Amino acid sequence: MAPTDRPPAAQGTQSQQRAQQRQYASKPSRSQAATPASEAADMRLEFQQQQQPGNRTISAPTSPAKTRDSILQRVQSLTDAAKEKASSISNDIKYAAATRRQQRVSKDRLLTLLVVDDENFEWSRYFRGKRFFGDFEIHVEQADIKDLTVTASAERGCTVSMAVLSPSGSRVVRSFRPDFFLCRQSVRDASKDYRNVLLGLNIGGVPSINSLHSLYNFQDKPWVYGQLVQLQKKLGKENFPLIEQTFYPSSGEMSVATQLPVVLKVGHAHGGVGKIKVENNSDFQDMTSIVSVASTYCTTEPFVDSKYDLHLTKIGPHYRALMRKSVSGNWKSCVGSAMLEETEVLERYKFWLDAVAELFGGLDILSLEVVVSKDGIEQIIGVNDSALSLLGNQQEEDRKYIFDLIMERLETQVLANMGLQAVSQPLEEEPPAIPARRDSLVSESSVTSSHQSSQPVKANLSRQGSIVSAAVPVPVQQQNKAGQLDDTEDTMKNLRKTFAGIFGEM
């Protein structure tokens, strides 16, 4: 029987054996077995396929080129972030160095003005790029009072450190010595108290607007009201209509209100804070418990059903009167919407402002708060110092008035103080002249002329607290030969004229 004539069953068995051999040949050997890493990768791939049953396709492995590109991108991003951080630090260093360099340049011709005000207005725009008092530059340092730290001593004066924003946006601390101080913020308000700034400036002897003495005295409203009471006794109630006020040192003395309704004010605050209207005794007793928690004093004054308020200001010799009417219906005209209207400054308003301006040694800037009842009766309810609020459409004009005051005080207090220091420096007395021989007249005349040239012609102005140095005598040996010849010729001419006059008379 020929091999090709095998039965179909045998042929099927042979085809199965050949298929099994091909399958065994396709399996990897022990040397070609998968590594643990590849087995773990296969297990993760199978797990992902089980989590995504709809996805039946197997993604191709990531190519080495794409992996290298992602690593390069991460390295590039980290490099860019490092460069940006280094640039920020470099800008801060440059900013600090420029600030120190600006403070070192022309110290004798640089005055530093410290302004305490919010960031809504920039005072440096009045002084930028200008020269004053001949060749003086005024540098303005402006900050919020909470950002200031003052250290002072009687010998070295005071140093102010303040936190400011650098061009990169980070906060840096800058230190300087102020020559003048303008206070346009409340030093004490509700729970905030920055009187330590005034204490340091006072020890350093820094002049200010208003004076540091008056600013410190304004940090308790009952104390100011006591001064107004003394002023009323001096001028009379008709000439100085001050509202009646009752002072309670603590909640223990608040038994029953003398009259109702009243306005109760807790502690020292501004802008309507800590002020409440009390209409009956029950509410008054409730407020007693509130005052006990506050652990401070309080005052009460009769409630006035007002028609409008008057805001009277005096800045130097300039007066202004504003009428303020509440639009929102709030009994506090300073709270909510209000309508402002400038009104005529009557003579009695000027009289009140001038009288109050004499308190605490003089107030350059002040304002009076006056309430006008519906019967037309005017009553003074409060006074503000240089931290007053500028209202109305004339705020820019009022700021220029303050600028004029600053320039006047700089000239009369700072520069005049420098001039007094220069004059107060003692001059060395000249020794008595000794008659010289005829052959030494030339050298004596040279020494005399050099000594006369050493006298200061004009006193130099310097910063506050610095020593003004006089001109140092120049030795004869350091003078040039031309100067010696000129002095010698002048001396010989004077001698010839003198001898000619003597022999002519004989």
Side-chain angles (χ1 to χ4, degrees), residues 309-322:
D309 291 352
L310 286 175
H311 186 76
L312 310 177
T313 62
K314 181 183 179 184
I315 303 175
H318 305 283
Y319 302 87
R320 194 180 302 280
L322 293 174

Side-chain angles (χ1 to χ4, degrees), residues 76-143:
Q76 184 65 29
S77 63
L78 293 175
T79 304
D80 294 340
K83 288 182 179 179
E84 183 178 357
K85 185 65 177 178
S87 177
S88 175
I89 297 175
S90 177
N91 291 334
D92 292 343
I93 295 175
K94 292 179 181 178
Y95 179 72
T99 303
R100 290 193 298 267
R101 184 166 55 253
Q102 184 180 8
Q103 295 175 355
R104 289 196 301 266
V105 173
S106 301
K107 285 187 177 180
D108 293 340
R109 294 292 174 177
L110 178 65
L111 299 177
T112 302
L113 170 64
L114 173 60
V115 179
V116 169
D117 201 351
D118 53 33
E119 58 185 8
N120 295 329
F121 182 79
E122 185 181 1
W123 284 91
S124 61
R125 72 178 192 175
Y126 289 120
F127 305 90
R128 188 182 297 115
K130 298 179 181 179
R131 295 283 180 174
F132 303 92
F133 313 121
D135 194 26
F136 273 83
E137 179 182 355
I138 299 178
H139 178 66
V140 179
E141 294 284 359
Q142 181 174 342

